[in-house]
Amino acid sequence: MKRRSFASGRYTKKRYSSAYPLSGLIVCGKCSGTYNRVTWQNKSGKSFVWRCRERLKAGTVQCKQSATIRESEMMKLLSKLFNAIIKTDPADSTVYLIKAKAVLIVSLEDKEAFDDADLTKQLLSKVIDRIEVKDEKTATVHFKSGLIMEKTLS
């Protein structure tokens, strides 16, 4: 069955799934590999970063220039992006933006804006198709509605 669907072109690559909100969503802009969460120990305690899976497995042989992204920076970027989408005037919106805005407003419930704690795995998987990391400072967010937004990480 799997072989038949693969031959007909209907087979899609399965997404990595885990308990973390960003699992399976971040994609390397250099090699198209997915990103994994890595815990770094430093003097100030633990910090969580996301790194290209291909680079983690084989070092710089497979993916030479993939960026390392801090989880806190990515969550801040997404909450700012979602809040900007919600505040966008409908007259200035495209169909793709309106579809993304509708899903976000339903998920927001009684609050006025998103913060980092509101970004759950369920919400992100409803709204975002993938996040492509091009370099240390640039990420392109591909929404399920078809909207594509390029943002700069802080």
Side-chain angles (χ1 to χ4, degrees), residues 79 82-87 104-105 107-115 118:
S79 62
F82 289 176
N83 290 328
I85 288 171
I86 289 172
K87 293 175 184 167
L104 290 172
I105 289 173
S107 300
L108 196 54
E109 297 173 356
D110 296 334
K111 292 185 174 184
E112 292 185 22
F114 283 100
D115 59 7
D118 296 328

Side-chain angles (χ1 to χ4, degrees), residues 25-151:
L25 293 177
I26 305 176
V27 177
C28 180
K30 307 295 182 189
C31 73
S32 300
T34 57
Y35 270 52
N36 282 1
R37 187 179 197 225
V38 178
T39 304
W40 281 357
Q41 273 301 92
N42 49 25
K43 292 178 184 178
S44 60
K46 289 182 182 179
S47 61
F48 302 106
V49 296
W50 290 81
R51 301 192 70 203
C52 176
R53 179 184 297 164
E54 297 303 318
R55 186 166 184 155
L56 288 173
K57 284 194 311 188
T60 56
V61 173
Q62 292 289 333
C63 189
K64 293 181 181 179
Q65 299 171 340
S66 66
T68 299
I69 304 298
R70 293 191 182 280
E71 185 173 70
S72 58
E73 288 180 11
M74 184 59 76
M75 296 302 259
K76 284 178 191 171
L77 173 117
L78 292 174
S79 62
K80 285 180 186 176
L81 183 63
F82 289 176
N83 290 328
I85 288 171
I86 289 172
K87 293 175 184 167
T88 304
D89 184 27
D92 298 333
S93 302
T94 64
V95 174
Y96 304 118
L97 186 69
I98 291 171
K99 286 180 182 178
K101 185 176 180 177
V103 173
L104 290 172
I105 289 173
V106 168
S107 300
L108 196 54
E109 297 173 356
D110 296 334
K111 292 185 174 184
E112 292 185 22
F114 283 100
D115 59 7
D116 297 354
D118 296 328
L119 303 180
T120 62
K121 180 155 184 67
Q122 291 79 19
L123 171 64
L124 294 180
S125 63
K126 260 194 250 182
V127 179
I128 296 176
D129 182 45
R130 70 182 183 277
I131 303 167
E132 186 176 326
V133 177
K134 296 185 178 184
D135 55 37
E136 296 282 341
K137 297 290 181 190
T138 310
T140 305
V141 181
H142 297 259
F143 289 85
K144 290 196 174 178
S145 66
L147 178 67
I148 300 172
M149 298 181 87
E150 189 169 297
K151 287 291 180 183

